[in-house]
């Protein structure tokens, strides 16, 4: 049995034991042939994981509101509805089609809540899995899980350990600490996906939008207590950000510092202390204190004589933070 089928069965067994009514209306699965026939209507390919989940259950139609959620706060779309929605996104006018893509790749919505989705990114012939992304009501696309298997393993373990549970009002609630533990265990490669995405969509100079995308991804990852390990990939991204920070013609210095904060890039943040914009110098000083970069205290202290009072105030606040951290 594959990992994803095992995880799906764990989710099913937990609900069957504790809240059987919540899975009573979940549709039976389809045959591989039926699934392949429906997926063939797409203009792109999806991973084998998609077929495996629909063999387990064909979910609900998109026009039937399902409040018996079992996938956190979303329900599984049936494959017909998922394909129809994805084709609409791809075949709409160019701007709409571009919005519903992840690093240039189209996506298949698999889970839905109101007008939010979790979607699976298209694959090429060499890929066996692909990221699961969250699409908000304003069509912001951010990473959520490394792949469908990681998602199901995270949810299955969370239900079993109390990371996810049914509250008094009958809705799914979350114990953040326990959920984060399961998330870290099963999504170890998600940082690399975020950095790779940034490198792919910022072939020249990143825009404020691409910086915002990376910041949102890394913010989510850090919220779950996942470290961003040193790697050649991280070095490439930091170098791009550092070059932008040092380019006085570039107007997104503050956004760069926010991303460097999520990456815990101390050396690059120290360079931010020399930036011509007072807001960047102030934020860089604050950030170095926030991430407890004690090796930067000397550099931050030098800005006590900054010509801008607002920077002096930020530096004093940062130095006080350093003292409190010790």
């Amino acid at each position: 049995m594959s990992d994803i089928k095992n995880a799906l069965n764990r989710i099913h067994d937990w609900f069957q034991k504790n809240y059987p009514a919540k899975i009573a209306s979940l549709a039976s699965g389809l045959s591989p042939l039926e699934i392949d026939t429906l997926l063939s209507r797409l203009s792109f390919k999806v991973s084998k994981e998609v077929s495996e989940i629909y063999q387990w259950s064909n979910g609900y139609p998109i026009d039937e509101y399902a409040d018996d959620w079992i996938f956190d706060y979303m329900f599984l779309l049936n494959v017909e509805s998922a394909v129809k929605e994805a084709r609409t996104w791809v075949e709409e006018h160019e701007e709409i089609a571009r919005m519903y893509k992840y690093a240039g790749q189209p996506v298949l919505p698999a889970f839905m809540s109101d007008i939010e989705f979790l979607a699976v990114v298209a694959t090429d012939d060499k890929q066996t899995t692909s990221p699961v992304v969250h699409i908000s009501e304003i069509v912001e696309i951010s990473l959520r899980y490394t792949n469908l298997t990681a998602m199901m393993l995270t949810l299955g373990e969370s239900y079993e350990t109390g990371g996810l549970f049914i509250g008094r009002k009958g809705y799914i609630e979350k114990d953040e600490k326990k959920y984060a533990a399961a998330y870290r265990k099963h999504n170890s490669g998600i940082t690399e996906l975020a950095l790779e995405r940034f490198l792919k969509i910022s072939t020249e100079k990143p825009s404020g939008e691409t910086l915002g995308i990376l910041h949102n991804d890394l913010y989510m990852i850090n919220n779950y207590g996942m470290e961003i390990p040193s790697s050649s990939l991280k070095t490439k991204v930091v170098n791009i950000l550092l070059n932008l920070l040092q380019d006085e013609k570039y107007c997104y210095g503050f956004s760069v510092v926010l991303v460097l904060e999520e990456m815990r890039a101390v050396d690059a943040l120290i360079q931010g202390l020399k930036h011509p914009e007072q807001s960047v110098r102030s934020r860089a000083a604050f950030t170095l204190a926030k991430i407890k970069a004690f090796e930067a205290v000397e550099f931050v202290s030098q800005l006590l004589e900054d010509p801008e009072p607002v920077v002096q105030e930020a530096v004093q606040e940062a130095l006080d933070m350093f003292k409190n951290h010790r």
Side-chain angles (χ1 to χ4, degrees):
M1 182 182 295
S2 67
D3 287 342
I4 189 170
K5 288 183 178 178
N6 178 56
L8 287 165
N9 287 337
R10 288 165 62 184
I11 294 170
H12 179 275
D13 290 348
W14 187 88
F15 275 95
Q16 187 64 47
K17 178 181 178 180
N18 298 285
Y19 299 93
K22 286 190 173 292
I23 58 170
S25 58
L26 197 61
S28 299
L30 302 178
S31 70
L33 179 59
E34 289 174 314
I35 296 167
D36 289 345
T37 300
L38 290 165
L39 292 178
S40 67
R41 299 175 185 174
L42 296 170
S43 59
F44 55 90
K45 296 179 180 179
V46 291
S47 68
K48 182 182 177 182
E49 295 173 305
V50 174
S51 178
E52 290 186 281
I53 198 170
Y54 283 119
Q55 289 176 53
W56 178 76
S57 171
N58 195 29
Y60 300 90
I62 197 170
D63 55 355
E64 289 187 14
Y65 183 76
D67 58 357
D68 288 334
W69 304 326
I70 64 173
F71 298 103
D72 201 344
Y73 63 94
M74 295 197 176
F75 66 89
L76 175 65
L77 281 172
N78 68 23
V79 66
E80 299 94 332
S81 297
V83 168
K84 181 180 179 180
E85 190 74 10
R87 291 184 66 185
T88 299
W89 294 351
V90 171
E91 294 167 5
E92 288 284 353
H93 61 80
E94 185 177 349
E95 182 179 352
I96 296 296
R98 186 171 61 250
M99 290 169 65
Y100 282 96
K101 286 186 177 181
Y102 174 86
Q105 294 293 322
V107 297
L108 174 71
F111 306 89
M112 181 181 178
S113 173
D114 298 328
I115 54 175
E116 292 183 86
F117 298 91
L118 287 178
V120 183
V121 181
T123 59
D124 58 33
D125 293 332
K126 298 179 181 179
Q127 291 177 284
T128 57
T129 66
S130 65
V132 175
V133 297
H134 175 258
I135 303 176
S136 72
E137 59 187 56
I138 56 174
V139 200
E140 284 186 345
I141 298 182
S142 58
L143 270 173
R144 184 58 58 91
Y145 301 97
T146 54
N147 49 54
L148 271 176
T149 298
M151 175 182 172
M152 296 310 156
L153 288 169
T154 300
L155 297 183
E157 185 163 325
S158 293
Y159 283 122
E160 293 168 350
T161 60
L164 292 172
F165 58 94
I166 307 300
R168 293 181 179 179
K169 295 183 179 180
Y171 297 112
I172 295 174
E173 297 183 18
K174 186 179 292 183
D175 180 311
E176 295 292 348
K177 185 175 181 180
K178 292 179 180 178
Y179 179 83
Y183 189 93
R184 289 193 299 271
K185 180 178 178 180
H186 299 295
N187 293 272
S188 59
I190 199 163
T191 299
E192 288 75 11
L193 290 174
L195 299 181
E196 287 170 355
R197 178 194 190 191
F198 175 75
L199 290 174
K200 185 172 183 179
I201 62 178
S202 59
T203 51
E204 297 180 1
K205 283 189 177 182
S207 65
E209 181 182 0
T210 59
L211 287 170
I213 287 171
L214 180 57
H215 177 266
N216 289 343
D217 287 346
L218 295 179
Y219 180 80
M220 182 271 295
I221 292 166
N222 285 329
N223 270 352
Y224 289 130
M226 303 184 74
E227 295 184 0
I228 303 178
S230 297
S231 65
S232 59
L233 197 59
K234 178 179 179 180
T235 300
K236 288 179 182 178
V237 172
V238 170
N239 285 340
I240 289 175
L241 297 173
L242 186 56
N243 287 337
L244 293 172
L245 195 63
Q246 295 171 339
D247 185 352
E248 296 185 7
K249 297 179 181 179
Y250 191 69
C251 59
Y252 295 109
F254 190 83
S255 297
V256 172
V257 170
L258 293 180
V259 177
L260 292 172
E261 174 182 337
E262 298 300 333
M263 299 188 72
R264 307 297 194 264
V266 175
D267 290 342
L269 285 166
I270 290 174
Q271 293 298 315
L273 297 172
K274 306 173 184 177
H275 198 273
E277 291 292 330
Q278 65 178 27
S279 62
V280 175
R281 298 197 301 277
S282 298
R283 184 68 194 194
F286 174 82
T287 296
L288 287 164
K290 181 180 178 182
I291 65 175
K292 303 179 184 180
F294 293 106
E295 64 269 41
V297 172
E298 178 182 351
F299 299 99
V300 173
S301 299
Q302 292 173 4
L303 286 185
L304 282 171
E305 299 181 2
D306 191 276
E308 297 294 339
V310 67
V311 177
Q312 295 176 25
E313 292 177 9
V315 168
Q316 187 58 62
E317 181 181 357
L319 293 174
D320 291 340
M321 288 175 64
F322 276 122
K323 291 178 181 177
N324 293 332
H325 286 323
R326 290 189 183 278

